[in-house]
Amino acid sequence: MNQYNVISLSLNRIPNNCTSYRQYIERIESRLKRDLIHSFPAADICEQDALWDILTDIYAQENSAKFIFILDEWDYIFHRDFVTEEDKASYIDFLSNLLKDQPYVSLAYMTGILPIAKYSSGSELNMFAEYTMAAEELYSEYVGFTEKEVDVLFEKYLQNEPNSQVTREGLRIWYDGYHTKSGERVYNPRSVVLALTNNNLGNYWTSSGPYDEIYYYVQHNIAAVQDDLVQMISGIPVPAKISEYAATSMRLSTKEEIFSAMVVYGFLTYENGCVSIPNKELMDRFNEMLMKEQSLGYIYQLAQKSEKMLAATLAGDTDTMTEILEYAHNTESPLLSYSSEAELTMIVNLVYLQARDRYRKAKPV
């Protein structure tokens, strides 16, 4: 504490009307140079020098001045449309020149979604150790809220809220479902905080990635993923090979790439070699997609019948119920699994999709 100079950069800030990588990086360089000139007035700084040369001069002239770098969302620029492959290489060179083997760097701490190794295939940024919630146990407890942390917050909530509308079980149903490398359960922290603050269980989901809509990922290969989507929406995990590197491809042409991206950005959870929808908050988002995206084919058609199915069920109209189930089963079930109990379970889940907003499935007695 108070022993180092600290340079903190939020790399998700861009200039007004930014249309090029050059505008983006020049803003970072010019503002940082300005801060250094202001903070080290006694140093002989030439503003035309490269940023790393200026820092090296400060280190040499100011009694070996050391810096800690805190860089938030280091990978933000890779999601911008105006950034070319050449720009990405230039950006990696910028970070390498700024941080690698520099005497003024005491520590560099970077956060982001994408793995550094994907873009630094050589030695540019090989000085970093990477830690993810799913792949490393060290620090994984600090990603999201653990069961114990939610227990503590919930107790405080009960003490401060005389008319409590949120239950502990409700928090689990809505916001649990993620896992650390060691298997510890993790909750969506933002949603837990907002649910307790607002005294209401609701959908507070905000994507951590560059796109908020689930359909963005699915649309690239609907044919490959639609049957798996039915299983996951029915609560059945789907075997998948997940790679963090695949999430960097915005083309997402294969099922593995699609699911990998959805895991990295939090739409799916990955455990024991399978992907699944983690909680009610995300399940509702998947349901919304099924109800509005016609290109999903038979999934969309069956979801559209769910309102009619629910009305028929409440009215005791077994003829209509039978007609809908027969239509779904006869036209969409693969021949070889026609008598499969799992197949029928998935179809029933689809035709009762609308019921999820109004009813909670009872636990077995």
Side-chain angles (χ1 to χ4, degrees):
M1 184 73 74
N2 298 325
Q3 296 184 38
Y4 295 90
N5 302 291
V6 177
I7 293 177
S8 178
L9 296 175
S10 294
L11 296 172
N12 61 344
R13 308 283 175 82
I14 62 176
N16 286 335
N17 303 315
C18 183
T19 58
S20 71
Y21 168 74
R22 180 46 51 193
Q23 289 176 290
Y24 167 81
I25 203 66
E26 283 180 353
R27 175 183 180 273
I28 294 174
E29 292 180 312
S30 62
R31 293 174 70 89
L32 189 48
K33 287 179 182 180
R34 185 185 65 190
D35 288 348
L36 290 170
I37 291 172
H38 175 76
S39 299
F40 297 93
D44 184 17
I45 296 176
C46 177
E47 193 172 354
Q48 304 307 314
D49 286 346
L51 185 56
W52 36 91
D53 291 332
I54 291 176
L55 286 163
T56 300
D57 289 342
I58 291 173
Y59 172 80
Q61 298 173 37
E62 297 286 333
N63 298 318
S64 300
K66 288 270 193 175
F67 291 83
I68 288 177
F69 290 80
I70 300 175
L71 311 181
D72 190 27
E73 296 199 38
W74 84 275
D75 53 350
Y76 172 81
I77 196 66
F78 292 105
H79 305 309
R80 310 308 298 181
D81 293 338
F82 58 76
V83 178
T84 67
E85 291 301 317
E86 183 178 346
D87 292 335
K88 293 176 184 178
S90 296
Y91 178 62
I92 292 297
D93 287 339
F94 168 78
L95 293 177
S96 179
N97 288 327
L98 180 65
L99 302 172
K100 185 176 175 62
D101 297 330
Q102 296 288 12
Y104 53 77
V105 177
S106 180
L107 170 71
Y109 173 78
M110 299 202 310
T111 67
I113 295 292
L114 302 181
I116 296 171
K118 169 64 180 179
Y119 290 102
S120 179
S121 56
S123 60
E124 298 98 330
L125 297 177
N126 63 359
M127 68 287 196
F128 280 100
E130 295 191 85
Y131 298 92
T132 68
M133 180 182 74
E136 298 288 344
E137 288 192 36
L138 190 62
Y139 308 126
S140 64
E141 64 182 289
Y142 304 111
V143 181
F145 285 164
T146 64
E147 290 275 7
K148 292 181 179 179
E149 289 170 331
V150 175
D151 287 341
V152 171
L153 290 172
F154 185 68
E155 287 301 318
K156 291 182 179 179
Y157 158 77
L158 292 178
Q159 295 169 11
N160 297 322
E161 179 54 70
N163 184 31
S164 58
Q165 301 296 314
V166 176
T167 65
R168 182 65 181 85
E169 177 65 8
L171 291 174
R172 184 193 65 78
I173 293 171
W174 273 86
Y175 312 122
D176 188 17
Y178 301 98
H179 309 272
T180 66
K181 173 66 173 179
S182 60
E184 188 171 11
R185 304 189 70 85
V186 178
Y187 291 64
N188 182 331
R190 180 180 186 273
S191 298
V192 169
V193 168
L194 288 175
L196 297 179
T197 300
N198 297 343
N199 193 25
N200 179 62
L201 291 170
N203 196 318
Y204 302 107
W205 172 263
T206 298
S207 172
S208 58
Y211 306 96
D212 288 333
E213 294 299 326
I214 293 173
Y215 185 68
Y216 168 80
Y217 303 94
V218 174
Q219 67 179 334
H220 294 281
N221 196 340
I222 291 173
V225 302
Q226 59 182 358
D227 290 341
D228 289 335
L229 282 176
V230 176
Q231 289 191 57
M232 288 190 286
I233 289 168
S234 301
I236 303 172
V238 173
K241 294 181 180 180
I242 298 303
S243 169
E244 290 177 330
Y245 291 0
T248 64
S249 171
M250 292 297 103
R251 290 182 298 274
L252 305 175
S253 58
T254 69
K255 181 171 73 172
E256 287 72 22
E257 289 176 340
I258 292 170
F259 288 161
S260 293
M262 295 178 80
V263 168
V264 168
Y265 293 122
F267 289 106
L268 298 176
T269 186
Y270 181 68
E271 185 181 25
N272 299 325
C274 293
V275 292
S276 60
I277 301 171
N279 49 46
K280 176 172 170 49
E281 184 175 42
L282 267 299
M283 186 67 78
D284 286 354
R285 295 296 297 272
F286 275 86
N287 290 351
E288 291 172 8
M289 176 186 69
L290 265 59
M291 293 298 297
K292 72 179 184 180
E293 297 297 343
Q294 297 186 34
S295 61
L296 290 172
Y298 81 88
I299 302 179
Y300 169 81
Q301 295 169 19
L302 294 183
Q304 290 298 306
K305 292 184 178 293
S306 62
E307 186 70 48
K308 185 177 180 181
M309 185 68 170
L310 178 58
T313 302
L314 294 175
D317 183 358
T318 55
D319 289 340
T320 299
M321 294 167 60
T322 301
E323 177 186 338
I324 293 173
L325 283 174
E326 284 186 347
Y327 164 80
H329 203 203
N330 290 336
T331 60
E332 304 303 343
S333 292
L335 182 62
L336 294 178
S337 60
Y338 183 87
S339 300
S340 166
E341 183 176 334
E343 182 80 21
L344 182 59
T345 298
M346 290 184 283
I347 288 175
V348 169
N349 269 282
L350 274 179
V351 297
Y352 275 107
L353 196 65
Q354 285 288 351
R356 292 184 177 183
D357 289 337
R358 309 173 200 180
Y359 300 93
R360 182 176 297 173
K361 186 170 62 175
K363 292 182 178 179
V365 178

